[in-house]
Amino acid sequence: MKEQVELHKEEFLRELEDFLRIQSISSQEKHKDDVKKGAEWVAGALEKVGVENVEIIPTDGHPIVYGDWLHASDKPTVLVYGHYDVQPEDPVELWDTPPFEPVIRDGKIFARGATDDKGQLFIHIKALELLKKEYGELPVNVKFCIEGEEEIASPNLGPFINENTEKLACDAVLVSDTSFIDADHPAICTSLRGALALEVKVKTANSDLHSGQYGGGVPNAVHSLVNILDSLHDDKGRVAVDGFYEGVPEVTEQLKEEIAAIPFDEEKTKQTLGLSSLYGEEGFSFLEQTGIRPTLEINGVTGGYGGDGIKTIVPNEATGKISCRLVGDQDPQYVYEQIEKHIYAQKQAGADVELKQFIQAKPVALDSNHPMIQKAADAYEAVYGVRALFPKEGGSIPIVEVFARVLDAPVVLMGFGLPSENLHAPNEHFHTENFTKGIETVTHYLKSL
Amino acid sequence: MKEQVELHKEEFLRELEDFLRIQSISSQEKHKDDVKKGAEWVAGALEKVGVENVEIIPTDGHPIVYGDWLHASDKPTVLVYGHYDVQPEDPVELWDTPPFEPVIRDGKIFARGATDDKGQLFIHIKALELLKKEYGELPVNVKFCIEGEEEIASPNLGPFINENTEKLACDAVLVSDTSFIDADHPAICTSLRGALALEVKVKTANSDLHSGQYGGGVPNAVHSLVNILDSLHDDKGRVAVDGFYEGVPEVTEQLKEEIAAIPFDEEKTKQTLGLSSLYGEEGFSFLEQTGIRPTLEINGVTGGYGGDGIKTIVPNEATGKISCRLVGDQDPQYVYEQIEKHIYAQKQAGADVELKQFIQAKPVALDSNHPMIQKAADAYEAVYGVRALFPKEGGSIPIVEVFARVLDAPVVLMGFGLPSENLHAPNEHFHTENFTKGIETVTHYLKSL
């Protein structure tokens, strides 16, 4: 298969460039038609390789693309998930070449969406093409469910999955939207943290007040906010909200060992990030803190005067943004309610508090011993000569938990990105070697099922 | 004298309107020439009423206007201080009439600087005019020292006073730049709090980090900042910085009684400010908290994401603005150093802290029993029928402490403003009744010395 991939490599990259030219930014209303073009492009690409029953399914937001090929009787069914929408390109002035004019240099294809997720999604389409070319048919049944709203937290895909369990029924969900640990260490992520985000707004007087006239005698919205925000952690870096850790699994020795096996260079990390010291929950390593422990981070704070110099006011309004990463059986709604209770109990006299909830996603843990995942590790080994590791990702892909729960199928997070590929940032790129090796790995995997 | 004032009232108001048309905004470079025009206008007005030796003295910033009339041998010398510069007019759209086009309606003259301080300063010039008209000479020796930088914390007047102690030598400094308690209660402020302001900036990594990838394992600049800011107070509203209260005088029973005599309606204050509750240092009343106790207020805070919705980052930079009001023998420099020490001790691992100092002013307390102040109270009683009270102002006029200390003279804060006159805000105004009664009060005072 390696030769086949090499033979078609340039042609495949030209097609990928077409895909990358589409400005399918799902968060921006002005790009609504471009997102639709993205859906049409995916539908066309699926039809071209022989996927059947291709549909562009409208939703309240951007469309979902479905297609299948179900002629491998007695063989398992794999549902491929991916997304054709991309992040905004801002700040555009920091791109070396325009974000929607793909360029290949130094073995990397540069464009918004190159690694997240157009390039990785396209691997699956091209793998099918080569398998069909080689054998005239596919070794397994395949379904595609490709969305255009991943970058805006998949508001319509969850309901779609729930309403189409028959249509989407499968033996495994195959997703390429994650990364290797580094260029030498392919990885199948087996754990994603859940997420929860909220805003807390503190209000006191009906306007800012003069700190000379009123300072010391009236509530200060910023004081009350920093008091609330600081109370969310204790001095050991633990979250100090009652009930926050309910459902967090004990860290077993086996898990500790699995994580300790993942390469991590603390000095290099500190140097790269420009930090004199790391900081986190006492008693856990960095990879444990960022992979398997829940966190609560303040993402931003504003209140009162923020310009140059000083303005001697008692501010009347202050806002904090908070997000949590959740693990194990932590329930986002329960955690939100506990934080809400904590904040109301903490607020100072004369301060009113308003809360607003944003994202909510359950954590997901996948069993690395499942044969569908072990076979994926075999596939990497066959192509890369190295068996995939099973890291715990600190990030969240909310829809993975829905797939796993609703379809009751293992989700195989067979990523081909690298952590250095600037996803969500200027100069996003994808290594063309992982594009071609990815096609090989996927064909190997599907044949092995 | 009342008849004289009435006779010239309209003429004086027309002159004041001319003064108010000058856009002498000292903080804005583009108005540098307007500020100079303000100085020239004051110099002209002084010469017109027979003040001698009038000079416009250049400084590194805006000029100081000096003038004197020293022909009352064996009589005391009064130094009149005031300022001809004004605050910016922003937000200009909230003014009912343009800020530099004075309009009189409902017995109030509306314009930027009407009460702070052009209208109040002009009272003294017109009082001299009427005294000279009436008696052909003045009952006391008079000096004028009028600056154009009060609204930018008087950077050049302090050095000028220090270098010109002979020239400015006097028996009392007379200042009209403060307010009545309310329309029925004239006031001579006998205490101004000192001031100190600083900025604290916390930096962690060299950029914001993804909260999924790094959250829980790296320092968060906003966490560290809110931890620092929250640590500045204890849960009884006291400042928790070691040494902060050094030099704060014990509150005597006499002082408590003096303050308790000042009218204050807590319910009305809460209602006006839109507050469900006041908040301050335990064990002190509102007027004590805002008048004679030192405070530390956070004036603003910024860090991380402040837009709509959420951005799941670990912020790498956060800034807080802090200002203190100081009393008694508190030394601003010492207090600054104690806060600095506190902040460095409090900062979390991996967080770097930078401090920047702004304003610094010593507190000042004036003896209400001094005859120069008692006679001022008499003058109010003669004109208003009510004796002036001696409130403790929570605000700061940094130069008052310098006058009192360097010239070793009592400072008589004979204010004619009202707290409701929107100083520093849109629709600033000055009650014309207090303009004319102010002229009467000043003539009465000068004659009584």
Side-chain angles (χ1 to χ4, degrees):
Chain A
M1 190 55 78
K2 191 175 161 62
E3 300 72 38
Q4 290 298 315
V5 177
E6 277 308 311
L7 195 65
H8 291 89
K9 180 181 165 181
E10 291 306 317
E11 168 201 335
F12 289 176
L13 284 170
R14 291 302 83 73
E15 290 179 45
L16 176 56
E17 285 171 5
D18 276 351
F19 192 13
L20 292 171
R21 277 190 199 97
I22 301 170
Q23 305 189 23
S24 47
I25 304 169
S26 51
S27 62
Q28 297 179 347
E29 186 59 28
K30 65 176 177 185
H31 284 295
K32 198 171 166 57
D33 282 347
D34 293 318
V35 182
K36 195 163 158 244
K37 262 183 224 160
E40 287 159 359
W41 195 95
V42 170
L46 290 174
E47 277 172 343
K48 190 181 157 199
V49 303
V51 173
E52 301 168 351
N53 304 311
V54 174
E55 294 173 80
I56 297 175
I57 301 159
T59 73
D60 285 347
H62 303 299
I64 293 163
V65 181
Y66 175 85
D68 59 35
W69 188 95
L70 303 173
H71 307 295
S73 45
D74 303 331
K75 294 289 170 118
T77 300
V78 171
L79 174 75
V80 175
Y81 162 76
H83 63 94
Y84 62 85
D85 65 322
V86 300
Q87 280 276 321
E89 73 274 37
D90 309 322
V92 71
E93 67 277 10
L94 297 185
W95 285 78
D96 294 331
T97 50
F100 294 102
E101 296 175 20
V103 170
I104 297 175
R105 55 177 185 272
D106 306 331
K108 302 163 195 168
I109 182 162
F110 285 82
R112 170 58 81 230
T115 187
D116 179 19
D117 178 50
K118 287 175 173 173
Q120 295 205 54
L121 161 61
F122 199 50
I123 283 173
H124 295 273
I125 301 177
K126 294 294 107 173
L128 291 207
E129 178 173 340
L130 292 187
L131 284 167
K132 283 202 79 184
K133 273 210 172 101
E134 185 93 356
Y135 306 103
E137 56 174 17
L138 298 180
V140 290
N141 299 297
V142 175
K143 295 175 176 177
F144 279 86
C145 176
I146 312 298
E147 72 162 323
E149 298 186 312
E150 198 272 345
E151 301 295 0
I152 52 171
S154 308
N156 292 294
L157 184 56
F160 178 79
I161 296 169
N162 273 292
E163 288 156 20
N164 292 278
T165 49
E166 279 291 301
K167 186 181 189 125
L168 302 176
C170 62
D171 299 292
V173 179
L174 185 57
V175 182
S176 295
D177 195 17
T178 51
S179 297
F180 282 25
I181 289 159
D182 57 40
D184 302 325
H185 295 88
I188 298 168
C189 169
T190 52
S191 169
L192 287 163
R193 293 198 284 189
L196 168 67
L198 60 114
E199 178 185 284
V200 49
K201 181 174 275 184
V202 178
K203 287 184 179 177
T204 51
N206 46 25
S207 71
D208 290 339
L209 298 173
H210 190 288
S211 78
Q213 256 179 303
Y214 292 102
V218 291
N220 176 321
V222 174
H223 287 204
S224 186
L225 182 70
V226 301
N227 178 258
I228 287 169
L229 296 178
D230 188 44
S231 75
L232 297 171
H233 289 90
D234 67 16
D235 58 5
K236 302 205 181 316
R238 273 177 70 89
V239 177
V241 174
D242 275 351
F244 180 82
Y245 288 96
E246 260 179 49
V248 175
E250 283 300 306
V251 181
T252 62
E253 277 312 304
Q254 193 209 327
L255 189 55
K256 270 194 169 290
E257 280 165 27
E258 219 173 276
I259 291 170
I262 297 167
F264 174 69
D265 185 336
E266 176 166 335
E267 279 314 309
K268 201 178 150 198
T269 301
K270 286 199 295 190
Q271 208 184 322
T272 310
L273 302 180
L275 284 172
S276 58
S277 166
L278 298 178
Y279 183 83
E281 190 185 356
E282 254 184 46
F284 295 92
S285 73
F286 175 84
L287 289 184
E288 289 165 355
Q289 287 162 349
T290 57
I292 56 164
R293 295 295 294 172
T295 70
L296 185 155
E297 294 285 336
I298 308 168
N299 309 116
V301 70
T302 43
Y305 182 67
D308 282 344
I310 202 83
K311 194 171 174 191
T312 49
I313 52 166
V314 180
N316 75 325
E317 215 174 281
T319 304
K321 311 268 188 182
I322 298 167
S323 66
C324 298
R325 301 286 172 167
L326 308 176
V327 301
D329 295 322
Q330 277 184 300
D331 177 57
Q333 186 56 32
Y334 177 77
V335 171
Y336 174 76
E337 285 162 13
Q338 295 308 107
I339 295 173
E340 192 176 32
K341 247 186 253 175
H342 179 100
I343 288 176
Y344 279 106
Q346 186 72 26
K347 79 187 181 66
Q348 291 174 352
D352 289 327
V353 163
E354 271 174 28
L355 290 185
K356 203 188 279 178
Q357 190 177 354
F358 301 113
I359 314 166
Q360 188 162 301
K362 289 187 182 168
V364 59
L366 305 157
D367 177 7
S368 60
N369 293 319
H370 195 288
M372 293 301 251
I373 290 179
Q374 284 295 325
K375 281 185 176 166
D378 296 341
Y380 278 108
E381 193 167 6
V383 175
Y384 285 89
V386 193
R387 204 170 166 75
L389 293 165
F390 301 110
K392 318 293 166 193
E393 279 260 338
S396 311
I397 310 178
I399 209 65
V400 167
E401 187 273 337
V402 182
F403 274 123
R405 176 168 44 83
V406 177
L407 303 182
D408 191 22
V411 179
V412 184
L413 293 166
M414 194 184 227
F416 295 103
L418 288 183
S420 58
E421 288 177 336
N422 290 10
L423 62 164
H424 295 205
N427 299 316
E428 177 178 349
H429 57 274
F430 186 32
H431 283 70
T432 56
E433 188 190 344
N434 284 331
F435 176 63
T436 51
K437 283 193 172 167
I439 296 172
E440 272 187 77
T441 308
V442 170
T443 58
H444 196 285
Y445 178 58
L446 296 181
K447 282 196 288 178
S448 75
L449 296 179
Chain B
M1 189 56 78
K2 194 175 159 62
E3 301 72 36
Q4 290 299 315
V5 177
E6 277 307 312
L7 196 65
H8 291 89
K9 181 180 165 183
E10 291 306 317
E11 168 201 336
F12 288 176
L13 284 170
R14 293 298 86 72
E15 289 179 46
L16 176 56
E17 284 171 4
D18 276 351
F19 192 14
L20 292 171
R21 277 189 198 99
I22 302 171
Q23 306 189 24
S24 47
I25 303 168
S26 51
S27 62
Q28 297 179 348
E29 186 58 29
K30 66 176 176 184
H31 284 295
K32 199 172 165 58
D33 283 347
D34 293 317
V35 182
K36 197 163 157 244
K37 262 183 227 161
E40 287 159 0
W41 196 94
V42 170
L46 290 175
E47 277 172 343
K48 190 181 158 198
V49 303
V51 173
E52 300 168 353
N53 304 311
V54 174
E55 294 172 79
I56 296 175
I57 301 160
T59 72
D60 286 348
H62 303 300
I64 293 164
V65 181
Y66 176 84
D68 58 34
W69 188 94
L70 304 173
H71 305 297
S73 44
D74 302 331
K75 294 288 170 122
T77 301
V78 170
L79 175 74
V80 175
Y81 162 76
H83 63 95
Y84 62 85
D85 64 322
V86 298
Q87 281 276 320
E89 73 274 37
D90 309 322
V92 72
E93 67 278 10
L94 296 185
W95 286 78
D96 294 332
T97 49
F100 293 102
E101 295 175 22
V103 170
I104 297 175
R105 56 175 185 271
D106 305 330
K108 303 164 195 168
I109 180 161
F110 285 83
R112 170 58 81 230
T115 186
D116 179 17
D117 177 46
K118 287 175 173 172
Q120 295 206 53
L121 162 60
F122 199 49
I123 282 173
H124 295 273
I125 300 176
K126 293 294 107 174
L128 291 209
E129 179 173 339
L130 293 188
L131 284 168
K132 283 202 80 184
K133 274 208 173 101
E134 185 92 357
Y135 305 103
E137 56 174 17
L138 298 180
V140 291
N141 299 297
V142 174
K143 296 176 177 179
F144 279 87
C145 177
I146 312 298
E147 71 163 324
E149 297 187 311
E150 198 271 348
E151 301 295 0
I152 53 171
S154 308
N156 292 294
L157 184 57
F160 178 78
I161 296 169
N162 272 292
E163 287 158 20
N164 292 279
T165 49
E166 278 292 303
K167 187 181 190 120
L168 302 177
C170 62
D171 299 293
V173 180
L174 185 56
V175 183
S176 296
D177 195 18
T178 51
S179 297
F180 282 25
I181 289 159
D182 56 41
D184 303 325
H185 295 87
I188 298 168
C189 170
T190 52
S191 168
L192 287 163
R193 293 197 283 190
L196 168 67
L198 60 115
E199 177 185 286
V200 48
K201 183 174 272 184
V202 178
K203 288 183 178 178
T204 52
N206 46 25
S207 71
D208 290 339
L209 298 174
H210 190 287
S211 78
Q213 256 178 303
Y214 292 102
V218 291
N220 176 321
V222 174
H223 287 204
S224 187
L225 181 70
V226 301
N227 179 257
I228 286 168
L229 295 179
D230 188 43
S231 75
L232 296 170
H233 289 90
D234 67 15
D235 57 6
K236 302 205 181 312
R238 272 178 70 87
V239 178
V241 174
D242 275 351
F244 180 82
Y245 288 95
E246 262 179 47
V248 176
E250 283 300 306
V251 181
T252 62
E253 278 310 306
Q254 192 208 328
L255 189 55
K256 270 193 171 291
E257 281 164 27
E258 216 171 279
I259 291 170
I262 298 167
F264 174 69
D265 184 337
E266 176 165 336
E267 278 314 307
K268 199 178 153 200
T269 302
K270 287 198 296 189
Q271 207 183 323
T272 309
L273 302 180
L275 284 172
S276 58
S277 166
L278 298 178
Y279 183 84
E281 190 186 356
E282 254 184 47
F284 295 93
S285 73
F286 175 83
L287 289 184
E288 289 165 354
Q289 287 162 350
T290 57
I292 57 164
R293 294 295 294 173
T295 70
L296 185 156
E297 293 285 337
I298 309 169
N299 310 115
V301 70
T302 43
Y305 182 68
D308 281 344
I310 202 83
K311 195 171 172 190
T312 50
I313 51 167
V314 180
N316 75 324
E317 217 173 280
T319 304
K321 311 269 188 183
I322 298 168
S323 68
C324 299
R325 301 286 171 167
L326 308 177
V327 301
D329 295 322
Q330 278 184 300
D331 177 57
Q333 186 56 31
Y334 177 77
V335 171
Y336 175 76
E337 285 161 14
Q338 296 308 106
I339 294 174
E340 191 176 33
K341 247 186 254 173
H342 179 100
I343 288 175
Y344 278 107
Q346 186 73 23
K347 77 186 181 69
Q348 290 175 351
D352 289 327
V353 163
E354 271 174 30
L355 291 186
K356 203 188 280 179
Q357 192 178 352
F358 301 113
I359 314 165
Q360 191 164 297
K362 290 187 180 167
V364 60
L366 303 158
D367 178 6
S368 58
N369 293 320
H370 194 287
M372 294 300 251
I373 291 179
Q374 283 297 325
K375 282 185 176 166
D378 296 341
Y380 278 108
E381 195 168 3
V383 175
Y384 286 88
V386 193
R387 204 170 165 73
L389 294 166
F390 301 110
K392 317 295 165 191
E393 278 261 337
S396 311
I397 310 179
I399 208 66
V400 168
E401 187 274 335
V402 182
F403 274 123
R405 177 168 43 82
V406 177
L407 303 183
D408 192 22
V411 179
V412 184
L413 294 166
M414 194 184 226
F416 295 103
L418 288 183
S420 58
E421 288 177 337
N422 290 10
L423 63 164
H424 294 206
N427 300 316
E428 177 178 347
H429 57 275
F430 186 33
H431 283 69
T432 56
E433 185 189 348
N434 284 331
F435 176 64
T436 50
K437 282 195 173 165
I439 296 172
E440 273 189 76
T441 308
V442 170
T443 57
H444 196 287
Y445 178 57
L446 295 182
K447 282 196 286 178
S448 75
L449 295 180

